[in-house]
Amino acid sequence: LGSYLASNVAEGIRDSIRIHCKTWVAMIVLFGVFVMLHRFAHLELRQLMPGFVGMAVLILLAMHIIVVRRERELHKKVRSSSGCKFQSRHRARWSALGELPLEMLLL
């Protein structure tokens, strides 16, 4: 059991550090959009930041909604497969805005 847990923890850490191809593509596209806006619309990063922060907040809210829906589906499946009631030990939900750095919220 100990070696199983250790290998899962090690794989989880490796996966969180590893930068995936989808991440690279998203970063290249994002910076490509910034380059085009700077080149043709003559916008500076300071002018683009509110839109960027707004998009980040929308993405975090969408992720939160997806997680909540999947948790509900999981709870329904667990309740239907077993006769006992399933109660979540973690009732507190994280706030999408609580995950953003304070500097981004103040801009």
Side-chain angles (χ1 to χ4, degrees):
L1 180 66
S3 62
Y4 172 75
L5 291 175
S7 67
N8 278 337
V9 168
E11 183 60 32
I13 290 172
R14 259 188 253 121
D15 188 50
S16 67
I17 294 172
R18 194 176 307 141
I19 299 175
H20 299 280
C21 184
K22 292 178 185 177
T23 305
W24 281 112
V25 169
M27 293 302 294
I28 290 170
V29 168
L30 176 68
F31 283 107
V33 169
F34 283 162
V35 165
M36 294 298 179
L37 287 172
H38 179 69
R39 169 84 167 111
F40 296 112
H42 303 290
L43 294 176
E44 296 179 8
L45 182 61
R46 192 171 7 124
Q47 294 166 322
L48 297 172
M49 191 56 66
F52 181 70
V53 170
M55 290 296 290
V57 168
L58 288 176
I59 290 170
L60 287 172
L61 288 174
M63 289 172 49
H64 178 69
I65 290 169
I66 290 169
V67 167
V68 167
R69 286 182 180 172
R70 289 192 179 171
E71 281 181 347
R72 286 182 188 155
E73 290 174 12
L74 178 64
H75 289 202
K76 286 179 185 177
K77 287 180 182 178
V78 169
R79 286 183 192 144
S80 66
S81 66
S82 65
C84 63
K85 291 185 178 180
F86 178 77
Q87 300 230 350
S88 176
R89 291 177 16 191
H90 305 287
R91 297 252 180 219
R93 299 271 185 235
W94 60 272
S95 168
L97 294 177
E99 297 295 319
L100 290 176
L102 183 60
E103 298 85 34
M104 291 180 75
L105 292 174
L106 295 177
L107 289 176

